[in-house]
Amino acid sequence: MQRDVKPEKVVLAVAKAIEAKFDRGDWLTLGYETGYADRIREHPRLLRSLDWNDEDYSGHVLDMVEAILRPPGQYTGAGPYRISTKAIDEAHFAVAERMLGLPEWLTQHEPVLFSDIYGSQMADVGVDELQAAAKQLGLADVDEHAARIRRGIRDDPAQAIGSAKELLETVLKAVLGLHGNGPETKKDIPHLLKEANIALGLDPAGVRGSEPGAVQRRKTLGALANLVNSIAELRNAGFGTGHGLSQRPTLDVATARLAVSAAVTAATFYIEAHAAEQV
């Protein structure tokens, strides 16, 4: 989420998603992961109003979400909590965000709240366009990588870099029809890029090699390939997740954003180029 987001917007977004998606088990899971299980159970109306689909449920959801996301409030055993004026508890928010698939849910159901909470953090890396293109080809795994990139681009650059590399591998292997974990799929990013260009006729000898602008396109793809390969090198050098390092070097957000933007752009291009071949 953006650093300057209003806490009230975050509480409202999480509450709306919970009201739409949670059952009793989800509430208790959230409680166990945040330390609020007893408070959820002991609330005089929350779970009861959920079970009976009562009209006052949404209000109790808001009360409980605010208590969880903006601690420490003092619980009295019944009735409302006394909520502090602290900002959002990021650890508790991360749990709710993961359980709800919050960015994706807000994109579909509450786009204004999505913009309020995530804003340009999401827009300038092109994740929405990537997901739209992937949906047309039924590449479900892309959504998982996109969700991790959304969460990590500001708060966990290493996660974003690792997810960007995995995203590229997923897309390029899909273009090449490589599935599973057999030896034929154990190829690094440069080899996957080269084979994808051949498969799509984008290499000099391919069916599109003599089209107007083909030379310039190859130059552009070459520059993009250098960026993409650098992303893999960043991850392999320890700046991205995936190697189990205990003392990981840090990467600034600006560089992570550049790397992730390049990965998302490349992934979107290859998805769309592959889609064009299927027509």
Side-chain angles (χ1 to χ4, degrees):
M1 61 180 170
Q2 299 188 97
R3 293 298 185 187
D4 58 350
V5 64
K6 293 182 178 179
E8 294 82 4
K9 297 286 188 179
V10 179
V11 169
L12 181 61
V14 171
K16 282 179 174 288
I18 282 179
E19 186 175 356
K21 301 183 71 171
F22 266 24
D23 59 18
R24 175 182 284 263
D26 294 325
W27 267 117
L28 293 176
T29 299
L30 177 64
Y32 281 121
E33 292 203 33
T34 59
Y36 277 70
D38 287 343
R39 300 185 183 188
I40 289 170
R41 283 198 193 92
E42 294 168 11
H43 191 286
R45 287 290 302 158
L46 177 68
L47 296 181
R48 182 180 177 86
S49 62
L50 167 64
D51 292 340
W52 290 92
N53 196 27
D54 289 339
E55 293 181 356
D56 61 349
Y57 177 59
S58 60
H60 298 310
V61 172
L62 277 168
D63 287 343
M64 185 58 70
V65 169
E66 187 167 21
I68 293 172
L69 295 186
R70 303 187 69 186
Q74 184 173 346
Y75 181 58
T76 62
Y81 300 90
R82 294 207 300 270
I83 305 301
S84 75
T85 57
K86 287 180 63 177
I88 294 297
D89 183 304
E90 293 189 6
H92 289 180
F93 174 72
V95 173
E97 185 183 40
R98 170 176 52 80
M99 288 186 64
L100 292 163
L102 189 63
E104 293 72 31
W105 189 87
L106 291 176
T107 298
Q108 295 181 23
H109 302 283
E110 296 285 345
V112 174
L113 277 174
F114 172 86
S115 179
D116 289 337
I117 294 172
Y118 295 102
S120 61
Q121 172 186 346
M122 300 293 102
D124 61 3
V125 296
V127 174
D128 292 340
E129 291 80 2
L130 168 70
Q131 289 184 280
K135 186 176 183 179
Q136 292 182 350
L137 291 185
L139 300 180
D141 289 347
V142 169
D143 278 338
E144 297 179 13
H145 299 311
R148 295 189 190 104
I149 289 171
R150 288 181 187 278
R151 290 194 294 268
I153 189 61
R154 178 180 293 275
D155 297 324
D156 191 352
Q159 176 68 71
I161 292 292
S163 297
K165 179 178 182 290
E166 293 171 6
L167 165 68
L168 284 166
E169 289 177 340
T170 295
V171 168
L172 293 171
K173 287 178 180 180
V175 168
L176 295 170
L178 298 176
H179 304 288
N181 297 308
E184 72 281 358
T185 70
K186 304 296 184 181
K187 299 180 180 181
D188 57 19
I189 293 287
H191 283 91
L192 290 171
L193 281 169
K194 182 177 180 179
E195 292 183 12
N197 286 337
I198 293 173
L200 296 173
L202 298 172
D203 63 309
V207 295
R208 301 177 63 186
S210 60
E211 290 179 352
V215 173
Q216 292 75 18
R217 180 174 58 213
R218 285 197 295 275
K219 289 181 179 179
T220 301
L221 287 174
L224 185 59
N226 286 333
L227 274 171
V228 168
N229 291 335
S230 296
I231 294 165
E233 291 170 5
L234 275 172
R235 185 265 193 177
N236 293 338
F239 289 100
T241 55
H243 283 293
L245 298 181
S246 59
Q247 292 184 334
R248 190 179 308 282
T250 57
L251 188 68
D252 61 281
V253 172
T255 302
R257 190 182 299 278
L258 173 64
V260 170
S261 296
V264 169
T265 298
T268 304
F269 170 79
Y270 281 102
I271 289 173
E272 293 178 342
H274 181 54
E277 289 290 303
Q278 308 304 306
V279 177

